[in-house]
Amino acid sequence: MNHSVSTIIMANDPFKPLALAGAKSNSEDIKRLMDVHGRLLVHAHNQPAGKPLVAVVNLFTLGWLNGVRGKMVVKSFLEDQKEFAATELLMQANGSFIEAFRSLMKEQKLLLLPVSLSQFPLTAYTIKEAAKEDLQRTAVLWKELFGSAPISIWLPRGAFTAGLDALLLQEGCKCVFLPAGALPDRDHASFKGVSPHGLPVVTYNEPDGEINNRIIASTASFSELIFSLFSQKDGEAALDSAILRSRTVIQFPFCYENVDDRPLATPEELQRCETVFELKNEWTEKCVQSISEASSILDVEWAYCVYASFHQFDEELAGAADSLRYLLDGARKDFPDLDYAHQRLRLHYGIQLFSAGEVHPVERMDGAVLLITWEYPPNIIGGMARHVHGLAEALSSSGRDVIVLTASHHGSPAFETAGNVHIYRTGPLHHGEQDFLKQTSDLNLCLYQKGTELIDKHGIKLIHTHDWLTGDAAALLAKQHQLPLISTIHATEHGRNNGLHNELQHAIALKEKALIAASDTLIVCSQPMKEELRVYYEAGKKDIFVIPNGVEFEEVSSPFTRFSHFQPFVFSIGRMVFEKGFQTFFDLHLKSLKKENIQFIIAGKGPLLETWREEVNRRGLQDRLHFVGYVSDEERRALLQTCEAAVFPSLYEPFGIVALEAMAFQKPVIAAATGGLKSFVLHKQTGLLFEAGNAEDLSEKIEFVLDEPEYAGELGRNGYEMARELYSWTHISAQTEKVYDQTVFIKKMEGVRT
Amino acid sequence: MPVAIERDTILVRLVSGKLPDRGDTYLNKKNELHAIFLSKDRLYCKWRLQPFLLNAAFYCEQPLNPEVMDLRIFDVTDIHFDGTNAHAVTCMKIGRQDKDWTIKGLKKDRSYICELGYLTKDFTFWPILQSHPVHTSYEFDHGYIVKLKAAEDFYYHRTGVPNWVEHPDCRQTS
């Protein structure tokens, strides 16, 4: 066996997501990021199988590269930098560094080691359990990216004390790396040791100064260890016992890199992190539960705050701390912004990490799903048909058997298959019934009868219904067959009418309550809807999951609206309140815009609508600025489809889904550099950012977009790609599947046959 | 092996009925003392001591000077520390408002525990918070040989808990 000294490449570059967000593909930050990771790919590719390139990497960076932002940066970089050495390798991996790394790791040409997530010395935390949680978080993120536990977790500054070996073992690590200076007899080259808890110890030499981007040497025994690890069969946990027996048991009390020459940390460095540590004390288990399926965002944000604080990335720290405080504030009030939480996880950190509360891994449910819906294409009445259609197609693509049961529709067959989706249509018997409730009951009885037949025929294991219209059939089927019932509540009678004002509305609300009571789990499309169910529909004790709707990518059938005479126009929409920043429009340099006939349509209602309309008149801008008030969904989409650009001037905006919607229409988006908008409007990539409240800056950006239609088109196309990725049905169906799995799991725990 | 005592929780229980009226949230705030190595011979002590706990301590034992606290470092190498049997103790006078302190001149291959408290009217030390124990690096290059038997015993036989100081997170786990 070859016991030559192994080399380790330190590719732990600083991670600054805010700096990367606005950077062009030829900026130094992006070039450096691509260069470091591209070189890893090329060198690993050239290694013989079984003799891997070993590299220590920054897990935040890898997560970011795996996220939507990272993927876009890689894409545009590859388009711009034709000479990039790793282009071919990346193209083979669909432009994904993670996929490329995974493939090389599988070929035993690459071995990556993450530094513990916060990169804070694990011996220096002044919070109980923080070191343990740091290691846990690192392992969880790593598993999400690479599918298995890391071989080891690199210790920041090499800081180790007895007992950390036990914590590393708990996370599935196979060895620990310690600085050679920690070795009692300094016999680094031939050292082969194992810790008292049974973790092989590998030592590495410590160059003076910063070791990032340096190549360091580890002991000979590491080669032997790698060989043993690669010889392991899948799922084999323990290392070859012969390897362990040949090692000296050694107990290290405390060590770190260059222990004889410099301190591990200074009091100033530790004090710098104290404010962030205090933040950790601000949230309780209740907050974590309140933020439900995205609860892990709190820990990940906090870990980044520690990282930024320790490394003195002040601007990045301010951004992450703001985000954490915003999420915490919502969680404390039991009203967390889950959309924002998901955004942060997927855009910023490139991970999903569903429900930290799911302590026990939930098995994927077997069997088919019965989707019951009032409408299904080609029968399209409202938005539900498209929603259920999108969901059914995506679930089916992920390998799930999907049976759709819906009302009959003139011209559509009673049974058809579209791809792998089986669609059954039946009822009502009396299409001409004038009493709406009676006709609905008629339909439900038909659906119930057909459903009974389908449950046995297709081995259905779960029923998923949409709104009260098919609630009776779903509840009856679930009860009779003892199947889990999930209901998606798209809207409520109370919400639609701003209260219940007549007998019909009360009757419908009762049906809605009955469905909610019969359901095991509820899905809603937004956080306010969740609150509505809790407050008005007595759903306080139910599991309610928020899964946002997909963004519509289809063009509207008729782009004509009552505003069609305003051409060409820039569009904006939002609630008429100060924080939406529409007052910025008043000070635009309208004359400097070359397209002098450009109009501004600003839609939405709110307390300031009349005030702003009066201001328009006072300034004599009636022929340019149009505060048009409320617009319907159809009108909004038509306006988005026909505008020259969409502007979102918010002074405060936690998320800004409407900007994503504009992106779905391939329109260039100009947004204020605030909050959530900043997280997906990437300057000069997926849109343009301007300083919030700065009319001059906004004027320049609008002028730029109007004068450079080709460039504007490119921004629109990039934005479209990003919106697709974020709000694709694939993603939404993946979230829905998790709700299915969890509901089936809970039902099983209740001892009900499934 | 040195063991830390949860003194703060005992104190709260002792006097809970007679404390000034405080909300639960207030009482739930953490009181803790951490001892962190800055280097092989420097220890950084950082504490959180809530006023309600200090008031409770003053209620139990009147301070000689309520503005002056005592930070003590005990050498507890190879003993079960009981407050009276330390090999050595060093005392530092600190202000009531201080939140951290750096202790220099640690010896190699020794176990230490820190305590934060004050002198009472009768000039005795009254501890409020105690840190987890820490152990410094080996004194000489082959120092690990002294620990070899204990390490091997633990490795091969997994006998109870290790008889050396481990990372506090590990101790809480086990």
Side-chain angles (χ1 to χ4, degrees):
Chain A
M1 198 178 297
N2 181 6
H3 280 195
S4 63
V5 172
S6 303
T7 56
I8 300 175
I9 295 172
M10 298 301 294
N12 175 27
D13 256 26
F15 174 62
K16 297 182 180 179
L18 282 182
L20 290 172
K24 293 180 193 169
S25 62
N26 62 354
S27 77
E28 285 308 310
D29 285 328
I30 301 288
K31 270 159 79 174
R32 182 169 178 76
L33 179 91
M34 293 297 292
D35 181 51
V36 167
H37 295 91
R39 272 193 294 156
L40 274 188
L41 275 186
V42 173
H43 290 166
H45 177 71
N46 294 331
Q47 290 289 115
K51 286 196 171 178
L53 179 82
V54 184
V56 176
V57 286
N58 185 327
L59 193 44
F60 278 123
T61 309
L62 292 197
W64 186 85
L65 283 168
N66 190 48
V68 180
R69 269 184 175 177
K71 284 177 181 164
M72 291 207 56
V73 163
V74 172
K75 190 179 162 210
S76 62
F77 183 88
L78 293 183
E79 281 166 7
D80 293 350
Q81 311 286 327
K82 304 289 182 202
E83 304 301 311
F84 185 54
T87 299
E88 201 183 321
L89 291 169
L90 275 169
M91 295 308 278
Q92 284 166 7
N94 301 317
S96 161
F97 267 108
I98 302 302
E99 220 172 285
F101 286 147
R102 281 178 86 143
S103 159
L104 288 165
M105 286 158 91
K106 203 173 170 189
E107 291 173 40
Q108 302 188 343
K109 291 179 166 189
L110 178 66
L111 205 161
L112 294 181
L113 306 166
V115 187
S116 67
L117 191 65
S118 303
Q119 303 209 4
F120 186 84
L122 297 174
T123 59
Y125 272 115
T126 56
I127 293 189
K128 283 179 184 170
E129 306 265 305
K132 184 177 156 192
E133 286 173 9
D134 202 344
L135 292 172
Q136 281 174 343
R137 222 171 282 127
T138 309
V140 168
L141 260 69
W142 190 262
K143 280 178 195 163
E144 179 164 329
L145 292 179
F146 295 103
S148 58
I151 300 286
S152 184
I153 296 173
W154 195 264
L155 303 175
R157 298 191 180 175
F160 176 86
T161 191
L164 283 178
D165 51 337
L167 297 179
L168 286 165
L169 274 167
Q170 280 171 18
E171 301 313 324
C173 294
K174 300 288 171 34
C175 62
V176 57
F177 289 84
L178 297 185
L183 262 183
D185 52 7
R186 306 292 195 264
D187 188 8
H188 166 56
S190 60
F191 175 72
K192 286 164 76 176
V194 61
S195 79
H197 285 280
L199 193 64
V201 179
V202 178
T203 54
Y204 60 91
N205 64 359
E206 318 139 69
D208 291 336
E210 188 59 48
I211 68 166
N212 277 351
N213 302 311
R214 301 278 289 269
I215 295 175
I216 58 176
S218 77
T219 55
S221 69
F222 186 37
S223 307
E224 179 192 75
L225 199 65
I226 291 174
F227 180 80
S228 173
L229 288 169
F230 282 162
S231 309
Q232 273 188 299
K233 290 178 185 144
D234 284 348
E236 215 170 30
L239 276 169
D240 184 350
S241 56
I243 295 281
L244 293 178
R245 272 201 305 275
S246 68
R247 291 173 167 259
T248 310
V249 183
I250 186 159
Q251 195 270 112
F252 291 101
F254 169 62
C255 59
Y256 61 93
E257 286 161 11
N258 300 304
V259 65
D260 292 325
D261 307 322
R262 60 177 188 221
L264 167 65
T266 62
E268 292 72 31
E269 280 180 309
L270 302 185
Q271 281 156 6
R272 209 161 58 214
C273 297
E274 268 307 313
T275 320
V276 178
F277 289 170
E278 289 296 334
L279 260 177
K280 180 80 171 172
N281 293 324
E282 282 186 24
W283 73 83
T284 59
E285 194 54 35
K286 189 174 166 289
C287 291
V288 174
Q289 283 166 6
S290 159
I291 207 162
S292 62
E293 73 263 31
S295 57
S296 45
I297 182 65
L298 297 178
D299 281 334
V300 178
E301 289 281 14
W302 184 77
Y304 186 72
C305 288
V306 175
Y307 174 83
S309 176
F310 191 59
H311 292 83
Q312 270 191 299
F313 300 156
D314 294 340
E315 199 185 338
E316 303 282 347
L317 172 63
D322 275 355
S323 172
L324 180 57
R325 286 205 177 92
Y326 172 71
L327 288 163
L328 270 177
D329 194 40
R332 269 194 223 102
K333 293 171 187 161
D334 210 18
F335 197 76
D337 190 338
L338 286 169
D339 290 339
Y340 181 71
H342 283 298
Q343 282 303 312
R344 291 289 292 181
L345 281 174
R346 293 162 60 213
L347 272 173
H348 223 68
Y349 299 115
I351 45 171
Q352 296 192 26
L353 287 181
F354 278 97
S355 185
E358 289 171 31
V359 178
H360 307 289
V362 176
E363 290 172 24
R364 185 181 151 92
M365 71 167 260
D366 292 324
V369 175
L370 177 64
L371 297 181
I372 308 181
T373 173
W374 160 261
E375 49 172 320
Y376 195 82
N379 176 23
I380 299 173
I381 301 162
M384 194 194 298
R386 284 202 184 87
H387 178 105
V388 182
H389 178 255
L391 181 64
E393 295 278 322
L395 285 171
S396 162
S397 302
S398 74
R400 170 77 57 203
D401 289 332
V402 181
I403 319 299
V404 174
L405 179 57
T406 186
S408 58
H409 176 246
H410 182 70
S412 300
F415 170 68
E416 66 175 324
T417 51
N420 291 321
V421 181
H422 301 260
I423 305 149
Y424 292 87
R425 296 186 179 88
T426 183
L429 297 177
H430 295 178
H431 276 283
E433 173 61 58
Q434 294 299 305
D435 183 333
F436 182 54
L437 281 180
K438 205 178 248 180
Q439 195 195 63
T440 311
S441 296
D442 180 357
L443 170 67
N444 272 273
L445 199 61
C446 293
L447 295 174
Y448 170 65
Q449 288 181 67
K450 191 70 186 172
T452 305
E453 177 194 321
L454 297 178
I455 284 171
D456 289 335
K457 185 177 173 184
H458 289 284
I460 285 161
K461 291 287 160 50
L462 181 140
I463 298 171
H464 183 177
T465 190
H466 294 260
D467 275 356
W468 71 276
L469 291 153
T470 51
D472 287 349
L476 284 166
L477 285 168
K479 191 174 179 190
Q480 189 185 47
H481 296 269
Q482 293 187 309
L483 289 172
L485 173 60
I486 294 175
S487 301
T488 294
I489 308 296
H490 294 259
T492 65
E493 194 64 5
H494 190 282
R496 272 188 290 264
N497 304 298
N498 202 17
L500 303 172
H501 310 292
N502 59 39
E503 211 172 310
L504 179 65
Q505 288 169 6
H506 277 285
I508 290 173
L510 278 178
K511 292 268 185 199
E512 289 174 329
K513 281 184 183 172
L515 175 61
I516 288 166
S519 303
D520 294 291
T521 304
L522 298 166
I523 296 174
V524 293
C525 305
S526 70
Q527 197 59 25
M529 182 62 71
K530 182 172 174 177
E531 284 310 297
E532 201 175 307
L533 293 195
R534 282 183 170 165
V535 175
Y536 298 112
Y537 284 84
E538 301 151 18
K541 290 181 182 167
K542 292 282 172 186
D543 283 334
I544 307 176
F545 294 87
V546 180
I547 302 180
N549 263 328
V551 172
E552 286 291 351
F553 289 92
E554 289 172 36
E555 294 196 343
V556 289
S557 49
S558 167
F560 296 105
T561 64
R562 56 194 160 111
F563 314 111
S564 295
H565 53 291
F566 297 139
Q567 287 288 352
F569 70 96
V570 167
F571 183 55
S572 191
I573 184 168
R575 195 168 144 73
M576 294 295 126
V577 289
F578 182 79
E579 58 262 35
K580 291 293 175 189
F582 295 123
Q583 60 275 23
T584 315
F585 283 111
F586 297 132
D587 298 316
L588 282 179
H589 296 178
L590 293 171
K591 283 186 181 170
S592 70
L593 295 172
K594 281 187 186 167
K595 280 193 178 178
E596 286 204 2
N597 61 339
I598 191 81
Q599 307 288 308
F600 290 85
I601 299 180
I602 303 153
K605 55 184 184 178
L608 288 179
L609 178 59
E610 286 311 316
T611 313
W612 281 339
R613 279 176 171 166
E614 283 165 20
E615 185 67 17
V616 168
N617 291 336
R618 199 180 66 77
R619 292 180 181 237
L621 299 171
Q622 307 89 307
D623 57 339
R624 305 299 290 277
L625 279 186
H626 310 280
F627 281 88
V628 296
Y630 172 79
V631 293
S632 67
D633 280 358
E634 192 72 4
E635 282 176 325
R636 185 186 76 246
R637 292 174 55 219
L639 287 164
L640 283 167
Q641 191 176 317
T642 51
C643 68
E644 301 293 309
V647 174
F648 301 97
S650 303
L651 305 178
Y652 173 76
E653 187 68 74
F655 181 50
I657 192 167
V658 72
L660 267 174
E661 204 176 8
M663 288 174 167
F665 283 97
Q666 306 202 21
K667 294 297 172 187
V669 168
I670 303 169
T674 42
L677 288 170
K678 210 167 50 175
S679 69
F680 56 83
V681 180
L682 311 182
H683 190 53
K684 297 192 177 178
Q685 289 179 50
T686 60
L688 295 177
L689 289 173
F690 70 96
E691 186 190 348
N694 185 337
E696 194 170 335
D697 195 13
L698 175 58
S699 304
E700 277 175 25
K701 300 291 160 38
I702 293 174
E703 192 176 348
F704 191 65
V705 163
L706 296 178
D707 288 350
E708 305 280 347
E710 274 186 27
Y711 185 71
E714 193 186 323
L715 292 179
R717 282 189 294 279
N718 285 345
Y720 173 76
E721 290 298 325
M722 176 178 275
R724 272 191 89 88
E725 175 109 13
L726 283 172
Y727 283 86
S728 68
W729 280 109
T730 311
H731 174 71
I732 289 157
S733 84
Q735 284 181 296
T736 310
E737 285 258 25
K738 284 183 194 291
V739 176
Y740 289 172
D741 296 343
Q742 189 136 337
T743 307
V744 169
F745 178 76
I746 290 167
K747 194 86 174 171
K748 264 186 191 168
M749 292 296 104
E750 287 170 357
V752 178
R753 181 179 72 83
T754 58
Chain B
M1 178 200 160
V3 178
I5 303 165
E6 296 288 335
R7 165 56 67 86
D8 51 340
T9 51
I10 297 168
L11 270 172
V12 173
R13 198 167 57 239
L14 267 175
V15 296
S16 58
K18 299 184 180 178
L19 280 171
D21 189 23
R22 301 283 192 192
D24 282 350
T25 317
Y26 191 77
L27 287 172
N28 283 337
K29 281 201 171 177
K30 284 180 184 158
N31 293 284
E32 51 198 15
L33 169 60
H34 291 273
I36 302 301
F37 281 120
L38 291 176
S39 69
K40 59 187 178 181
D41 62 351
R42 284 186 183 209
L43 201 60
Y44 175 70
C45 291
K46 166 81 197 169
W47 56 91
R48 296 178 184 88
L49 175 58
Q50 307 301 332
F52 82 89
L53 181 60
L54 188 59
N55 290 340
F58 287 173
Y59 173 83
C60 294
E61 290 287 339
Q62 285 190 35
L64 183 64
N65 181 344
E67 296 307 315
V68 178
M69 305 291 288
D70 260 28
L71 178 66
R72 296 193 166 199
I73 180 164
F74 300 90
D75 181 339
V76 295
T77 310
D78 296 333
I79 58 165
H80 282 274
F81 177 53
D82 64 3
T84 62
N85 59 347
H87 301 296
V89 58
T90 306
C91 170
M92 283 135 286
K93 296 290 175 198
I94 53 173
R96 183 173 165 170
Q97 302 306 325
D98 285 330
K99 300 287 178 218
D100 55 35
W101 199 264
T102 302
I103 301 171
K104 301 168 192 170
L106 303 185
K107 292 178 181 169
K108 282 195 165 187
D109 204 7
R110 308 297 293 175
S111 296
Y112 293 101
I113 277 181
C114 295
E115 287 186 345
L116 181 70
Y118 57 85
L119 285 188
T120 61
K121 290 267 189 201
D122 58 0
F123 298 95
T124 55
F125 175 67
W126 172 247
I128 305 175
L129 300 176
Q130 187 179 64
S131 77
H132 49 84
V134 293
H135 194 96
T136 52
S137 314
Y138 293 120
E139 185 170 7
F140 52 93
D141 278 357
H142 289 81
Y144 77 99
I145 292 171
V146 179
K147 290 282 193 310
L148 184 60
K149 184 162 185 327
E152 283 185 340
D153 279 352
F154 183 80
Y155 177 72
Y156 289 112
H157 310 300
R158 289 288 186 272
T159 48
V161 288
N163 74 344
W164 53 80
V165 172
E166 297 222 303
H167 190 284
D169 287 1
C170 180
R171 199 185 51 169
Q172 280 156 17
T173 305
S174 58

